Amino acid sequence: MAKITHKGSWIKIGSLNKEDKKNYLMSVGFFLTGAVFWGLHLNTVDGIFGPPIFENTDTSLSFAIIRAMIIICWFIAIIYSKKFLLTQDELMHRYYLYTAASGGFGFVTVGMLFSILQPYLSFTVGFYGYFLAYAIGTAFGGYLFDKKYLGDGE
């Protein structure tokens, strides 16, 4: 079974058996590959980093392929992640649910704070700002999970 380390922010790869390690690393690898394509896509939309770098990419074949690759890579990542989770114990399932719920809480609370401050600080919150709020909540949830359920001092 997977061991959760680094204050709830990582899974110790060495604690996995061969099949679980393959499924986990394939999932992470495809997710990161999709994230690279997503980063390229972010250059074409307004976001938290400013206006788009590339204009008029709506009909571009190369950007259509990049956008398709995001979906394909993340779909494959979900398949391998599901294979990984099916073999894990109740603690790992609880960890995934706890961090996802904390991400949702971060989305609501930090996202609400973003939207309340938006008129006063002259910035616009879009999808990527709310995604950042979700990521903050998820990281905080991993820390709280470690503190509540693991607390082994690692």
Side-chain angles (χ1 to χ4, degrees):
M1 293 298 121
K3 181 174 182 180
I4 302 163
T5 62
H6 296 88
K7 296 290 184 193
S9 65
W10 194 251
I11 295 172
K12 187 174 183 179
I13 306 293
S15 69
L16 302 174
N17 65 36
K18 186 178 180 181
E19 186 66 21
D20 288 345
K21 188 182 294 187
K22 179 193 97 164
N23 288 333
Y24 183 74
L25 292 176
M26 291 292 284
S27 174
V28 170
F30 275 105
F31 176 75
L32 291 176
T33 303
V36 168
F37 288 117
W38 188 28
L40 293 172
H41 161 72
L42 288 179
N43 289 313
T44 67
V45 297
D46 282 333
I48 58 175
F49 302 114
I53 295 172
F54 299 109
E55 299 287 336
N56 302 322
T57 61
D58 295 339
T59 58
S60 167
L61 178 62
S62 58
F63 279 100
I65 292 170
I66 286 170
R67 292 175 183 127
M69 290 304 295
I70 297 167
I71 295 167
I72 291 166
C73 288
W74 285 356
F75 182 75
I76 294 169
I78 290 168
I79 291 170
Y80 279 106
S81 179
K82 185 162 175 69
K83 285 181 180 181
F84 168 73
L85 282 175
L86 285 174
T87 62
Q88 296 306 303
D89 61 358
E90 182 64 30
L91 182 68
M92 181 57 67
H93 290 235
R94 185 176 292 178
Y95 171 72
Y96 268 69
L97 291 173
Y98 201 92
T99 56
S102 298
F105 184 72
F107 174 83
V108 171
T109 57
V110 176
M112 188 184 311
L113 181 64
F114 284 168
S115 67
I116 289 170
L117 294 176
Q118 173 176 301
Y120 304 108
L121 299 177
S122 300
F123 69 92
T124 303
V125 180
F127 170 79
Y128 301 106
Y130 291 114
F131 180 78
L132 178 64
Y134 180 85
I136 290 168
T138 302
F140 189 65
Y143 173 76
L144 291 177
F145 183 87
D146 178 75
K147 192 172 180 174
K148 182 174 182 176
Y149 294 105
L150 304 175
D152 59 358
E154 252 187 81

